[in-house]
């Protein structure tokens, strides 16, 4: 009895020291305990496994299993659950599944938590059918599914594109007395939003409130972003104002979602107002916020202000990403400063970003729109890497310059490479050839387009 009590105290001390990340000290306490005749048990080692996985590495946590066996202590389901969960957190999904198999081979019976993690991993690696089989094993087996089981299932189905199945499971569970949690509603709303089912998402949000829950900032931001993606800007702004009226503290992501949507629709003044609100509320900008601001300034032609923000980003200790530089280059192209755009592209390369096709396409489009079509064609010829957007951009701008024969040849070359060009762009080339009297060439082009569709 005294030994068991002493082991319990040892475990309490070990857990406390591990929480403070002093793993060397925890190891010393265990060694001192053994010298005094107080021996660690499976709980002691499980505490170490968890600490090493969290604060050192997964491999360090896994190595504790060998020490357990050397000490004559058999790992239990908690040992393996801790490792399986740690592997999943680190996105070692196949390792999680291997550990589950190892646990079964060693005769350790999994619990509901084990199955939940395995379902999560299967959904993550795109195997929803296998995840569903595990779910059915739980439902039809000896275990009682936990709320976490249903949350994993609904979230996984939504993220794998099976929103109808997720909604059906949700309704079926409700009929059997399941009380959804905030996480359940958020997962379902997020899935419906990603499927662009705005009406259903709003309906679930209303139901959410009727159940007595208060939607959190994540819920509101998810629906708001969906509204903007579906071009329902007024509904999105209504959600923003509702969030504000309920006293939610916005994060930079929520503000940037609104500003980005307003910029896309040309509502620059409203975007400026939201930015001012963000700054007056003391929101510390992150890189996404800075990128949104830079985009706003570029849209307004305020290149100097945009470039000043680059200095601010560095002062805040942040590092610009490729999107930051792409926005700047696009802004330079918009005001016709192609020399500056090329210089900034060269600067990007010196920073180690390497070749950026999106940026080069941006310069190509800017040259075409500014009427520098010959310059655009020289740049196109010099490009070692091209994609469907590259071809589409140049074909479209050749049509703008009424150089339909060149556009026709480039279109055929694109189709031979296996790329696809928008039907509207194809139509513009065909109509352009007819408009300048090259009816025969337009018929030949139609035949080549049909042949390319058949081959690819």
């Amino acid at each position: 009895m005294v030994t068991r009590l002493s082991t319990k105290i040892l475990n309490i001390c070990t857990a406390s020291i591990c929480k403070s990340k002093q793993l060397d000290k925890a190891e010393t306490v265990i060694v001192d305990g053994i010298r005094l005749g107080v021996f660690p048990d499976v709980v002691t080692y499980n505490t170490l496994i968890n600490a090493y996985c969290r604060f050192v590495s997964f491999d360090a946590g896994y190595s504790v299993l060998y020490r357990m066996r050397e000490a004559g202590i058999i790992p239990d389901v908690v040992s393996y659950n801790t490792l399986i969960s740690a592997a999943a957190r680190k996105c070692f999904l196949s390792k999680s599944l291997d550990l589950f198999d190892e646990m079964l081979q060693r005769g350790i019976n999994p619990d509901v938590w084990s199955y939940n993690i395995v379902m999560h991993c299967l959904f993550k690696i795109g195997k929803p059918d296998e995840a569903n089989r595990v779910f059915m094993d739980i439902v039809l087996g000896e275990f009682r599914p936990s709320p976490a089981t249903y949350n994993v299932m609904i979230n996984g189905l939504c993220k794998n594109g099976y929103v109808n199945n997720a909604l059906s499971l949700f309704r079926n569970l409700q009929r059997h007395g399941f009380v959804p949690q905030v996480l359940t509603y958020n997962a379902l709303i997020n899935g419906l939003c990603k499927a662009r089912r705005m009406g259903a998402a709003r309906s679930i949000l209303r139901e959410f409130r009727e159940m007595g829950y208060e939607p959190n900032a994540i819920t509101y931001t998810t629906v708001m972003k969906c509204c903007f993606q579906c071009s329902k800007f007024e509904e999105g702004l209504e959600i923003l104002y509702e969030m504000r009226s309920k006293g939610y503290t916005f994060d930079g992501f929520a503000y940037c979602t609104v500003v980005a949507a307003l910029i896309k629709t040309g509502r620059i003044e409203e975007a400026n107002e939201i930015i001012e609100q963000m700054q007056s509320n003391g929101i510390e900008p992150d890189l996404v916020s800075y990128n949104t601001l830079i985009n706003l300034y570029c849209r307004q032609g305020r290149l100097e202000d945009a470039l000043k923000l680059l200095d601010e980003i560095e002062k805040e200790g942040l590092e610009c990403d490729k999107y930051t530089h792409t926005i700047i280059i696009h802004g330079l192209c918009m005001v016709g400063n192609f020399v500056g755009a090329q210089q900034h592209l060269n600067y990007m390369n010196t920073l180690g970003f390497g070749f950026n096709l999106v940026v080069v396409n941006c310069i190509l489009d800017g040259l075409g729109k500014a009427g520098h079509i010959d310059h655009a064609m020289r740049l196109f010829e010099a490009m070692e890497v091209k994609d469907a957007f590259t071809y589409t951009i140049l074909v479209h701008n050749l049509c703008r310059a009424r150089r339909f024969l060149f556009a026709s040849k480039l279109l055929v070359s694109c189709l031979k490479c296996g790329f696809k060009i928008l039907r509207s762009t194809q139509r513009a080339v065909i109509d352009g050839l007819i408009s300048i009297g090259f009816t025969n060439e337009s018929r030949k082009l139609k035949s080549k387009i049909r042949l390319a569709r058949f081959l690819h």
Side-chain angles (χ1 to χ4, degrees):
M1 185 69 184
V2 174
T3 303
R4 196 162 55 217
L5 180 61
S6 298
T7 300
K8 185 177 180 181
I9 292 170
L10 174 67
N11 289 340
I12 292 169
C13 292
T14 303
S16 177
I17 295 167
C18 284
K19 280 182 182 177
S20 63
K21 303 181 185 180
Q22 301 178 66
L23 273 64
D24 289 341
K25 192 173 180 180
E27 294 278 12
T28 302
V29 167
I30 293 170
V31 171
D32 289 344
I34 293 170
R35 285 174 181 162
L36 295 170
V38 179
F39 297 99
D41 61 5
V42 69
V43 175
T44 321
Y45 284 106
N46 285 346
T47 302
L48 284 179
I49 289 172
N50 183 53
Y52 275 110
C53 285
R54 285 188 175 277
F55 306 130
V56 182
S57 69
F58 169 79
D59 289 335
Y62 186 76
S63 69
V64 176
L65 285 184
Y66 298 109
R67 293 167 53 190
M68 290 177 75
R69 295 189 187 105
E70 287 174 0
I73 296 170
I74 300 171
D76 62 5
V77 66
V78 176
S79 314
Y80 275 95
N81 280 353
T82 304
L83 288 166
I84 293 168
S85 183
R89 280 199 307 273
K90 300 285 185 182
C91 292
F92 304 151
L93 304 178
S94 60
K95 186 65 179 174
S96 286
L97 299 174
D98 290 343
L99 282 164
F100 183 79
D101 290 337
E102 181 182 319
M103 179 170 68
L104 294 176
Q105 288 167 10
R106 291 188 177 277
I108 300 170
N109 293 322
D111 58 13
V112 174
W113 182 244
S114 315
Y115 284 116
N116 288 349
I117 305 168
V118 169
M119 284 166 54
H120 169 76
C121 291
L122 289 168
F123 276 125
K124 277 274 190 181
I125 62 177
K127 294 185 176 180
D129 291 336
E130 290 187 31
N132 187 56
R133 279 197 287 273
V134 174
F135 176 68
M136 295 310 297
D137 286 343
I138 300 173
V139 173
L140 301 174
E142 59 184 280
F143 297 114
R144 182 181 176 85
S146 66
T149 310
Y150 298 126
N151 288 338
V152 169
M153 193 68 187
I154 289 170
N155 187 49
L157 286 169
C158 286
K159 288 193 172 178
N160 279 267
Y162 295 94
V163 181
N164 285 337
N165 300 70
L167 195 54
S168 176
L169 175 61
F170 179 73
R171 294 302 182 206
N172 189 47
L173 290 172
Q174 285 181 306
R175 284 194 290 272
H176 287 84
F178 171 68
V179 179
Q181 301 172 323
V182 174
L183 282 173
T184 321
Y185 278 108
N186 279 351
L188 195 56
I189 288 169
N190 185 50
L192 289 165
C193 285
K194 285 189 175 178
R196 302 283 182 104
R197 293 176 58 178
M198 193 61 240
R202 293 297 295 268
S203 174
I204 293 292
L205 184 59
R206 280 195 299 273
E207 184 182 317
F208 192 9
R209 296 192 190 100
E210 289 165 6
M211 287 288 290
Y213 290 117
E214 188 61 43
N216 58 23
I218 295 171
T219 320
Y220 278 116
T221 305
T222 300
V223 179
M224 181 172 66
K225 188 175 181 180
C226 181
C227 287
F228 292 137
Q229 287 172 340
C230 296
S231 300
K232 298 188 176 181
F233 298 101
E234 295 306 325
E235 288 185 33
L237 289 172
E238 280 176 21
I239 291 173
L240 175 74
Y241 300 138
E242 186 177 335
M243 287 176 74
R244 187 184 300 163
S245 69
K246 290 182 180 292
Y248 278 105
T249 303
F250 294 170
D251 58 10
F253 178 77
Y255 276 111
C256 288
T257 299
V258 178
V259 172
L262 292 171
I263 290 171
K264 282 179 183 176
T265 55
R267 297 163 71 167
I268 304 299
E269 287 186 16
E270 289 177 72
N272 271 323
E273 288 174 14
I274 298 295
I275 289 292
E276 286 172 10
Q277 288 173 17
M278 175 180 164
Q279 293 170 335
S280 65
N281 287 338
I283 300 292
E284 289 292 331
D286 56 9
L287 187 58
V288 175
S289 309
Y290 276 118
N291 284 349
T292 305
L293 277 169
I294 290 170
N295 190 27
L296 175 62
Y297 289 151
C298 287
R299 291 284 186 126
Q300 294 173 318
R302 296 162 58 187
L303 264 298
E304 285 187 16
D305 290 331
L307 291 169
K308 282 178 186 175
L309 280 180
L310 290 181
D311 295 330
E312 279 190 36
I313 291 172
E314 290 179 4
K315 286 177 185 175
E316 291 294 327
L318 300 170
E319 286 188 15
C320 298
D321 59 13
K322 64 180 180 180
Y323 301 106
T324 318
H325 295 291
T326 301
I327 294 165
I328 291 289
I329 289 170
H330 183 250
L332 289 164
C333 289
M334 284 174 68
V335 297
N337 187 354
F338 300 107
V339 173
Q342 184 62 55
Q343 287 174 345
H344 201 90
L345 177 59
N346 296 338
Y347 172 63
M348 268 187 82
N349 294 335
T350 64
L351 295 175
F353 285 102
F355 179 78
N356 190 320
L357 184 58
V358 174
V359 174
V360 180
N361 282 346
C362 178
I363 296 174
L364 188 71
D365 190 41
L367 287 167
K369 285 178 178 174
H372 305 304
I373 195 65
D374 291 327
H375 189 169
M377 289 178 71
R378 286 195 298 272
L379 175 60
F380 176 84
E381 291 298 331
M383 291 172 68
E384 293 182 6
V385 180
K386 304 177 179 74
D387 63 3
F389 292 106
T390 315
Y391 282 97
T392 301
I393 287 166
L394 193 55
V395 169
H396 180 72
N397 281 300
L398 283 166
C399 288
R400 284 165 59 97
R402 298 191 62 77
R403 294 169 72 167
F404 299 110
L405 283 173
F406 278 110
S408 174
K409 289 176 183 177
L410 191 62
L411 176 57
V412 172
S413 173
C414 174
L415 295 172
K416 283 181 179 177
C417 291
F419 292 124
K420 292 182 179 178
I421 284 188
L422 294 172
R423 294 283 181 93
S424 57
T425 306
Q426 295 176 16
R427 187 75 251 169
V429 178
I430 293 166
D431 290 346
L433 289 170
I434 294 169
S435 71
I436 59 173
F438 286 82
T439 308
N440 193 40
E441 279 75 6
S442 73
R443 281 197 295 268
K444 288 178 182 177
L445 179 59
K446 285 180 185 177
S447 299
K448 289 175 182 177
I449 289 172
R450 280 195 294 269
L451 180 61
R453 284 177 192 159
F454 176 76
L455 293 173
H456 296 286

